[in-house]
Every structure is written in C-alpha cells, then in structure tokens.
PDB file of all heavy atoms in Angstrom:
ATOM      1  N   SER G1134     -77.650  64.669 -62.357  1.00 97.00           N
ATOM      2  CA  SER G1134     -78.523  64.867 -61.204  1.00 97.00           C
ATOM      3  C   SER G1134     -78.712  63.524 -60.510  1.00 97.00           C
ATOM      4  O   SER G1134     -79.052  62.528 -61.150  1.00 97.00           O
ATOM      5  CB  SER G1134     -79.875  65.423 -61.653  1.00 97.00           C
ATOM      6  OG  SER G1134     -80.763  65.537 -60.563  1.00 97.00           O
ATOM      7  N   PHE G1135     -78.460  63.498 -59.193  1.00 98.00           N
ATOM      8  CA  PHE G1135     -78.634  62.290 -58.400  1.00 98.00           C
ATOM      9  C   PHE G1135     -79.842  62.489 -57.492  1.00 98.00           C
ATOM     10  O   PHE G1135     -79.837  63.349 -56.614  1.00 98.00           O
ATOM     11  CB  PHE G1135     -77.380  61.999 -57.577  1.00 98.00           C
ATOM     12  CG  PHE G1135     -76.149  61.829 -58.420  1.00 98.00           C
ATOM     13  CD1 PHE G1135     -75.207  62.850 -58.522  1.00 98.00           C
ATOM     14  CD2 PHE G1135     -75.937  60.662 -59.141  1.00 98.00           C
ATOM     15  CE1 PHE G1135     -74.087  62.709 -59.305  1.00 98.00           C
ATOM     16  CE2 PHE G1135     -74.813  60.500 -59.935  1.00 98.00           C
ATOM     17  CZ  PHE G1135     -73.872  61.535 -60.026  1.00 98.00           C
ATOM     18  N   VAL G1136     -80.888  61.703 -57.739  1.00 98.00           N
ATOM     19  CA  VAL G1136     -82.131  61.800 -56.974  1.00 98.00           C
ATOM     20  C   VAL G1136     -82.164  60.626 -56.003  1.00 98.00           C
ATOM     21  O   VAL G1136     -82.274  59.463 -56.411  1.00 98.00           O
ATOM     22  CB  VAL G1136     -83.360  61.761 -57.902  1.00 98.00           C
ATOM     23  CG1 VAL G1136     -84.644  61.878 -57.082  1.00 98.00           C
ATOM     24  CG2 VAL G1136     -83.290  62.883 -58.939  1.00 98.00           C
ATOM     25  N   TRP G1137     -82.080  60.922 -54.708  1.00 98.00           N
ATOM     26  CA  TRP G1137     -82.047  59.877 -53.683  1.00 98.00           C
ATOM     27  C   TRP G1137     -83.470  59.516 -53.298  1.00 98.00           C
ATOM     28  O   TRP G1137     -84.258  60.354 -52.907  1.00 98.00           O
ATOM     29  CB  TRP G1137     -81.213  60.353 -52.499  1.00 98.00           C
ATOM     30  CG  TRP G1137     -79.817  60.637 -52.949  1.00 98.00           C
ATOM     31  CD1 TRP G1137     -79.320  61.830 -53.401  1.00 98.00           C
ATOM     32  CD2 TRP G1137     -78.765  59.690 -53.093  1.00 98.00           C
ATOM     33  NE1 TRP G1137     -78.019  61.685 -53.805  1.00 98.00           N
ATOM     34  CE2 TRP G1137     -77.644  60.375 -53.639  1.00 98.00           C
ATOM     35  CE3 TRP G1137     -78.647  58.324 -52.824  1.00 98.00           C
ATOM     36  CZ2 TRP G1137     -76.435  59.747 -53.900  1.00 98.00           C
ATOM     37  CZ3 TRP G1137     -77.440  57.692 -53.089  1.00 98.00           C
ATOM     38  CH2 TRP G1137     -76.351  58.399 -53.612  1.00 98.00           C
ATOM     39  N   HIS G1138     -83.767  58.231 -53.448  1.00 97.00           N
ATOM     40  CA  HIS G1138     -85.139  57.752 -53.432  1.00 97.00           C
ATOM     41  C   HIS G1138     -85.223  56.517 -52.552  1.00 97.00           C
ATOM     42  O   HIS G1138     -84.207  55.988 -52.120  1.00 97.00           O
ATOM     43  CB  HIS G1138     -85.541  57.416 -54.886  1.00 97.00           C
ATOM     44  CG  HIS G1138     -86.966  57.641 -55.226  1.00 97.00           C
ATOM     45  ND1 HIS G1138     -87.939  56.708 -54.980  1.00 97.00           N
ATOM     46  CD2 HIS G1138     -87.591  58.692 -55.829  1.00 97.00           C
ATOM     47  CE1 HIS G1138     -89.115  57.169 -55.421  1.00 97.00           C
ATOM     48  NE2 HIS G1138     -88.925  58.371 -55.930  1.00 97.00           N
ATOM     49  N   GLY G1139     -86.432  56.035 -52.303  1.00 95.00           N
ATOM     50  CA  GLY G1139     -86.600  54.861 -51.458  1.00 95.00           C
ATOM     51  C   GLY G1139     -87.744  53.998 -51.923  1.00 95.00           C
ATOM     52  O   GLY G1139     -88.057  53.975 -53.106  1.00 95.00           O
ATOM     53  N   GLY G1140     -88.467  53.415 -50.932  1.00 95.00           N
ATOM     54  CA  GLY G1140     -88.445  53.627 -49.507  1.00 95.00           C
ATOM     55  C   GLY G1140     -88.401  55.093 -49.084  1.00 95.00           C
ATOM     56  O   GLY G1140     -88.787  55.988 -49.800  1.00 95.00           O
ATOM     57  N   GLU G1141     -87.936  55.265 -47.861  1.00 97.00           N
ATOM     58  CA  GLU G1141     -87.756  56.617 -47.326  1.00 97.00           C
ATOM     59  C   GLU G1141     -86.263  56.877 -47.158  1.00 97.00           C
ATOM     60  O   GLU G1141     -85.629  56.376 -46.226  1.00 97.00           O
ATOM     61  CB  GLU G1141     -88.479  56.774 -45.988  1.00 97.00           C
ATOM     62  CG  GLU G1141     -88.191  58.063 -45.257  1.00 97.00           C
ATOM     63  CD  GLU G1141     -88.268  59.291 -46.165  1.00 97.00           C
ATOM     64  OE1 GLU G1141     -89.313  59.485 -46.828  1.00 97.00           O
ATOM     65  OE2 GLU G1141     -87.285  60.055 -46.220  1.00 97.00           O
ATOM     66  N   PRO G1142     -85.667  57.654 -48.063  1.00 97.00           N
ATOM     67  CA  PRO G1142     -84.208  57.830 -48.037  1.00 97.00           C
ATOM     68  C   PRO G1142     -83.688  58.549 -46.798  1.00 97.00           C
ATOM     69  O   PRO G1142     -82.535  58.351 -46.415  1.00 97.00           O
ATOM     70  CB  PRO G1142     -83.922  58.623 -49.316  1.00 97.00           C
ATOM     71  CG  PRO G1142     -85.209  59.282 -49.658  1.00 97.00           C
ATOM     72  CD  PRO G1142     -86.286  58.340 -49.203  1.00 97.00           C
ATOM     73  N   LEU G1143     -84.515  59.380 -46.155  1.00 97.00           N
ATOM     74  CA  LEU G1143     -84.024  60.115 -44.999  1.00 97.00           C
ATOM     75  C   LEU G1143     -84.001  59.266 -43.727  1.00 97.00           C
ATOM     76  O   LEU G1143     -83.644  59.765 -42.655  1.00 97.00           O
ATOM     77  CB  LEU G1143     -84.841  61.384 -44.776  1.00 97.00           C
ATOM     78  CG  LEU G1143     -84.645  62.465 -45.840  1.00 97.00           C
ATOM     79  CD1 LEU G1143     -85.377  63.743 -45.466  1.00 97.00           C
ATOM     80  CD2 LEU G1143     -83.176  62.758 -46.098  1.00 97.00           C
ATOM     81  N   LEU G1144     -84.330  57.974 -43.836  1.00 96.00           N
ATOM     82  CA  LEU G1144     -84.089  57.064 -42.728  1.00 96.00           C
ATOM     83  C   LEU G1144     -82.627  56.639 -42.670  1.00 96.00           C
ATOM     84  O   LEU G1144     -82.189  56.046 -41.681  1.00 96.00           O
ATOM     85  CB  LEU G1144     -84.999  55.838 -42.828  1.00 96.00           C
ATOM     86  CG  LEU G1144     -86.493  56.121 -42.637  1.00 96.00           C
ATOM     87  CD1 LEU G1144     -87.308  54.856 -42.861  1.00 96.00           C
ATOM     88  CD2 LEU G1144     -86.784  56.708 -41.258  1.00 96.00           C
ATOM     89  N   LEU G1145     -81.848  56.929 -43.722  1.00 96.00           N
ATOM     90  CA  LEU G1145     -80.412  56.723 -43.662  1.00 96.00           C
ATOM     91  C   LEU G1145     -79.800  57.730 -42.696  1.00 96.00           C
ATOM     92  O   LEU G1145     -80.344  58.823 -42.485  1.00 96.00           O
ATOM     93  CB  LEU G1145     -79.772  56.896 -45.043  1.00 96.00           C
ATOM     94  CG  LEU G1145     -79.677  55.640 -45.924  1.00 96.00           C
ATOM     95  CD1 LEU G1145     -81.055  55.136 -46.312  1.00 96.00           C
ATOM     96  CD2 LEU G1145     -78.840  55.935 -47.166  1.00 96.00           C
ATOM     97  N   SER G1146     -78.657  57.399 -42.151  1.00 96.00           N
ATOM     98  CA  SER G1146     -78.014  58.275 -41.177  1.00 96.00           C
ATOM     99  C   SER G1146     -77.314  59.440 -41.862  1.00 96.00           C
ATOM    100  O   SER G1146     -76.954  59.352 -43.047  1.00 96.00           O
ATOM    101  CB  SER G1146     -76.981  57.487 -40.379  1.00 96.00           C
ATOM    102  OG  SER G1146     -75.874  57.150 -41.218  1.00 96.00           O
ATOM    103  N   PRO G1147     -77.100  60.547 -41.142  1.00 97.00           N
ATOM    104  CA  PRO G1147     -76.288  61.638 -41.702  1.00 97.00           C
ATOM    105  C   PRO G1147     -74.909  61.149 -42.133  1.00 97.00           C
ATOM    106  O   PRO G1147     -74.357  61.648 -43.122  1.00 97.00           O
ATOM    107  CB  PRO G1147     -76.203  62.642 -40.548  1.00 97.00           C
ATOM    108  CG  PRO G1147     -77.421  62.373 -39.721  1.00 97.00           C
ATOM    109  CD  PRO G1147     -77.647  60.888 -39.815  1.00 97.00           C
ATOM    110  N   GLY G1148     -74.365  60.175 -41.417  1.00 97.00           N
ATOM    111  CA  GLY G1148     -73.062  59.645 -41.792  1.00 97.00           C
ATOM    112  C   GLY G1148     -73.064  59.007 -43.171  1.00 97.00           C
ATOM    113  O   GLY G1148     -72.079  59.108 -43.917  1.00 97.00           O
ATOM    114  N   ALA G1149     -74.167  58.346 -43.528  1.00 96.00           N
ATOM    115  CA  ALA G1149     -74.267  57.747 -44.859  1.00 96.00           C
ATOM    116  C   ALA G1149     -74.237  58.820 -45.937  1.00 96.00           C
ATOM    117  O   ALA G1149     -73.597  58.652 -46.981  1.00 96.00           O
ATOM    118  CB  ALA G1149     -75.544  56.914 -44.958  1.00 96.00           C
ATOM    119  N   TYR G1150     -74.912  59.933 -45.676  1.00 97.00           N
ATOM    120  CA  TYR G1150     -74.909  61.019 -46.656  1.00 97.00           C
ATOM    121  C   TYR G1150     -73.566  61.732 -46.695  1.00 97.00           C
ATOM    122  O   TYR G1150     -73.121  62.184 -47.761  1.00 97.00           O
ATOM    123  CB  TYR G1150     -76.054  61.987 -46.365  1.00 97.00           C
ATOM    124  CG  TYR G1150     -77.392  61.424 -46.802  1.00 97.00           C
ATOM    125  CD1 TYR G1150     -78.302  60.930 -45.875  1.00 97.00           C
ATOM    126  CD2 TYR G1150     -77.724  61.347 -48.150  1.00 97.00           C
ATOM    127  CE1 TYR G1150     -79.510  60.387 -46.277  1.00 97.00           C
ATOM    128  CE2 TYR G1150     -78.921  60.801 -48.571  1.00 97.00           C
ATOM    129  CZ  TYR G1150     -79.820  60.328 -47.631  1.00 97.00           C
ATOM    130  OH  TYR G1150     -80.994  59.779 -48.039  1.00 97.00           O
ATOM    131  N   ALA G1151     -72.890  61.833 -45.551  1.00 97.00           N
ATOM    132  CA  ALA G1151     -71.550  62.427 -45.539  1.00 97.00           C
ATOM    133  C   ALA G1151     -70.591  61.601 -46.392  1.00 97.00           C
ATOM    134  O   ALA G1151     -69.752  62.146 -47.131  1.00 97.00           O
ATOM    135  CB  ALA G1151     -71.036  62.543 -44.108  1.00 97.00           C
ATOM    136  N   ALA G1152     -70.731  60.270 -46.327  1.00 97.00           N
ATOM    137  CA  ALA G1152     -69.883  59.401 -47.139  1.00 97.00           C
ATOM    138  C   ALA G1152     -70.182  59.582 -48.629  1.00 97.00           C
ATOM    139  O   ALA G1152     -69.270  59.544 -49.466  1.00 97.00           O
ATOM    140  CB  ALA G1152     -70.084  57.946 -46.730  1.00 97.00           C
ATOM    141  N   ILE G1153     -71.451  59.793 -48.967  1.00 98.00           N
ATOM    142  CA  ILE G1153     -71.825  60.034 -50.362  1.00 98.00           C
ATOM    143  C   ILE G1153     -71.161  61.308 -50.872  1.00 98.00           C
ATOM    144  O   ILE G1153     -70.589  61.334 -51.976  1.00 98.00           O
ATOM    145  CB  ILE G1153     -73.358  60.126 -50.484  1.00 98.00           C
ATOM    146  CG1 ILE G1153     -73.987  58.746 -50.319  1.00 98.00           C
ATOM    147  CG2 ILE G1153     -73.762  60.751 -51.818  1.00 98.00           C
ATOM    148  CD1 ILE G1153     -75.486  58.775 -50.101  1.00 98.00           C
ATOM    149  N   VAL G1154     -71.224  62.364 -50.092  1.00 98.00           N
ATOM    150  CA  VAL G1154     -70.608  63.636 -50.486  1.00 98.00           C
ATOM    151  C   VAL G1154     -69.112  63.458 -50.708  1.00 98.00           C
ATOM    152  O   VAL G1154     -68.543  63.948 -51.696  1.00 98.00           O
ATOM    153  CB  VAL G1154     -70.878  64.711 -49.417  1.00 98.00           C
ATOM    154  CG1 VAL G1154     -70.047  65.969 -49.689  1.00 98.00           C
ATOM    155  CG2 VAL G1154     -72.353  65.065 -49.378  1.00 98.00           C
ATOM    156  N   THR G1155     -68.457  62.731 -49.799  1.00 98.00           N
ATOM    157  CA  THR G1155     -67.014  62.505 -49.924  1.00 98.00           C
ATOM    158  C   THR G1155     -66.686  61.759 -51.208  1.00 98.00           C
ATOM    159  O   THR G1155     -65.745  62.122 -51.935  1.00 98.00           O
ATOM    160  CB  THR G1155     -66.503  61.717 -48.706  1.00 98.00           C
ATOM    161  OG1 THR G1155     -66.736  62.480 -47.515  1.00 98.00           O
ATOM    162  CG2 THR G1155     -65.009  61.429 -48.835  1.00 98.00           C
ATOM    163  N   GLN G1156     -67.466  60.728 -51.514  1.00 98.00           N
ATOM    164  CA  GLN G1156     -67.224  59.958 -52.732  1.00 98.00           C
ATOM    165  C   GLN G1156     -67.438  60.810 -53.978  1.00 98.00           C
ATOM    166  O   GLN G1156     -66.643  60.755 -54.929  1.00 98.00           O
ATOM    167  CB  GLN G1156     -68.141  58.737 -52.775  1.00 98.00           C
ATOM    168  CG  GLN G1156     -67.725  57.609 -51.858  1.00 98.00           C
ATOM    169  CD  GLN G1156     -68.515  56.347 -52.139  1.00 98.00           C
ATOM    170  OE1 GLN G1156     -69.602  56.379 -52.713  1.00 98.00           O
ATOM    171  NE2 GLN G1156     -67.979  55.209 -51.745  1.00 98.00           N
ATOM    172  N   GLN G1157     -68.500  61.571 -54.004  1.00 98.00           N
ATOM    173  CA  GLN G1157     -68.764  62.410 -55.176  1.00 98.00           C
ATOM    174  C   GLN G1157     -67.636  63.412 -55.408  1.00 98.00           C
ATOM    175  O   GLN G1157     -67.171  63.595 -56.539  1.00 98.00           O
ATOM    176  CB  GLN G1157     -70.105  63.134 -55.007  1.00 98.00           C
ATOM    177  CG  GLN G1157     -71.316  62.233 -55.130  1.00 98.00           C
ATOM    178  CD  GLN G1157     -72.613  62.981 -54.904  1.00 98.00           C
ATOM    179  OE1 GLN G1157     -72.664  63.953 -54.155  1.00 98.00           O
ATOM    180  NE2 GLN G1157     -73.680  62.522 -55.537  1.00 98.00           N
ATOM    181  N   GLN G1158     -67.204  64.058 -54.347  1.00 97.00           N
ATOM    182  CA  GLN G1158     -66.139  65.050 -54.474  1.00 97.00           C
ATOM    183  C   GLN G1158     -64.829  64.410 -54.921  1.00 97.00           C
ATOM    184  O   GLN G1158     -64.039  65.044 -55.645  1.00 97.00           O
ATOM    185  CB  GLN G1158     -65.955  65.781 -53.155  1.00 97.00           C
ATOM    186  CG  GLN G1158     -67.127  66.678 -52.785  1.00 97.00           C
ATOM    187  CD  GLN G1158     -67.001  67.282 -51.400  1.00 97.00           C
ATOM    188  OE1 GLN G1158     -66.238  66.801 -50.556  1.00 97.00           O
ATOM    189  NE2 GLN G1158     -67.772  68.337 -51.140  1.00 97.00           N
TER     190      GLN G1158
END
C-alpha cells in the first residue's frame, strides 16, 4: 500500500501522478 502524504500531496500536478502510475505499472 502506497499512502501519498505531505504537506498537501494534491498540490502536485496530475502529470506527477500520471508518472507515478506509469512507474508502478
């Protein structure tokens, strides 16, 4: 389980999260 935390993690861009998904897959 990967829990994305901060700070406020949703201040990251959608592109940053898209890159995370690509790396995980």
Side-chain angles (χ1 to χ4, degrees):
S1134 176
F1135 301 103
V1136 181
W1137 300 91
H1138 213 275
E1141 171 46 54
L1143 291 186
L1144 293 176
L1145 271 65
S1146 70
Y1150 284 105
I1153 288 166
V1154 170
T1155 299
Q1156 284 191 339
Q1157 288 178 330
Q1158 292 174 341

